Amino acid sequence: MSFVAIAARIGKSDLNPVALACDRAAWAAAAAALSERIVHRTNHCIALTFNIISLPIGSVPRHVLPHRYWPASCRKDCHDRAFGMCLERKARVRRTTPPPESVVAGWYENASLLDSYSTDLSSSKQYSMRVLATRTLGDPPAWIKALVAVRDAMVTPFDVKASGEVRASRADNERVDFFPVQWESDDEIVLGEDDRHLDFRLSLLRGNSPTGTKLIATTVVHSHNAFGLTYLNVIRPFHHLVVRTSLARFARAQG
């Protein structure tokens, strides 16, 4: 039934309620169908206007042109690029098994938190572990600094040292950013701090990989009480994000 006919019937006063309800339902269905046709035609015109086949992916805003209206060749190109980027990200930073050769291996048993991530070292030059640690953890992005500030505000009332206090308590050659250096060798540096709530260690280990060398970041934490465990569970998801981001930034900086 056409829109004109439906409108004419709804406008009649002699329709009974059941018939009126049916006509209104028919009107809604017809309006939905028309709306879908308008959207389809509009997006088709936009695709022609932008000549999307010849434009780079991303030059047309996605909210303007839904993915299902892109030409098949363009959709495939977009998928391939996205898949390639995903593989690149996976190749840069990988979850790995905590290395048994690390000096913090003795901390692995009964740890409250234990994880390891790795990334390839593309440069053949053998930088010192202090340099690698500084490039990985130094000068973090603003959102990581904001997380640290929130962490400091959260733990200060519980007599836990804030990052600024830890930084001020150590000489420059005894820390990387605000992380105290606990141990250092030619191929590994261990950062960490102990307090009455928890002890943590962050190991950066240089090891062999099929493509040359890799950098492995291992975090291990032992909590001592309920507050330490609660704090650890609160920051756990942010910890994973920060470590992965730090390694990814380091990997991109290598070129």
Side-chain angles (χ1 to χ4, degrees):
M1 185 178 294
S2 68
F3 284 96
V4 176
I6 295 174
R9 292 195 60 184
I10 292 178
K12 293 180 180 181
S13 59
D14 58 346
L15 284 177
N16 60 58
V18 175
L20 185 61
C22 292
D23 286 331
R24 285 177 176 171
W27 175 273
L34 178 62
S35 176
E36 179 66 23
R37 291 180 62 187
I38 292 174
V39 170
H40 178 79
R41 292 293 182 183
T42 301
N43 284 291
H44 179 69
C45 292
I46 293 173
L48 293 177
T49 302
F50 278 94
N51 191 15
I52 194 170
I53 297 177
S54 62
L55 285 178
I57 298 300
S59 59
V60 181
R62 292 188 179 184
H63 69 277
V64 174
L65 188 62
H67 184 269
R68 66 179 180 275
Y69 293 110
W70 292 18
S73 60
C74 185
R75 289 199 303 270
K76 183 179 185 303
D77 186 29
C78 177
H79 174 270
D80 290 345
R81 292 191 191 186
F83 185 66
M85 290 172 63
C86 181
L87 289 178
E88 182 182 27
R89 285 196 296 269
K90 288 183 178 180
R92 287 185 182 274
V93 179
R94 301 172 296 275
R95 188 77 179 259
T96 188
T97 303
E101 66 271 25
S102 171
V103 298
V104 300
W107 283 50
Y108 294 169
E109 187 176 0
N110 299 322
S112 303
L113 182 148
L114 174 62
D115 60 55
S116 292
Y117 294 94
S118 69
T119 188
D120 292 328
L121 294 174
S122 60
S123 176
S124 59
K125 184 176 180 179
Q126 292 293 303
Y127 291 105
S128 70
M129 293 308 301
R130 182 70 64 101
V131 171
L132 292 180
T134 300
R135 292 188 175 188
T136 303
L137 303 173
D139 192 24
W143 66 268
I144 292 182
K145 293 180 180 178
L147 284 178
V148 173
V150 171
R151 175 262 179 201
D152 290 345
M154 182 176 68
V155 302
T156 298
F158 298 95
D159 195 29
V160 177
K161 289 182 180 179
S163 59
E165 295 179 78
V166 178
R167 183 183 287 110
S169 67
R170 302 281 180 141
D172 290 347
N173 63 344
E174 295 178 346
R175 58 181 173 81
V176 174
D177 194 9
F178 65 88
F179 298 101
V181 177
Q182 300 289 340
W183 193 83
E184 186 175 2
S185 70
D186 291 341
D187 291 315
E188 186 172 14
I189 186 170
V190 178
L191 314 175
E193 180 76 334
D194 301 336
D195 65 35
R196 62 193 182 92
H197 298 297
L198 57 81
D199 302 336
F200 92 92
R201 294 293 184 269
L202 171 61
S203 162
L204 295 176
L205 174 68
R206 178 165 43 207
N208 295 324
S209 73
T211 59
T213 57
K214 61 184 177 181
L215 183 65
I216 306 172
T218 301
T219 306
V220 55
V221 181
H222 285 268
S223 58
H224 302 315
N225 50 42
F227 174 79
L229 187 59
T230 301
Y231 164 76
L232 184 60
N233 288 330
V234 169
I235 70 166
R236 190 185 299 267
F238 304 103
H239 155 75
H240 293 292
L241 182 61
V242 167
V243 172
R244 291 179 64 93
T245 300
S246 298
L247 285 175
R249 290 177 69 242
F250 170 77
R252 287 195 298 270
Q254 294 184 101

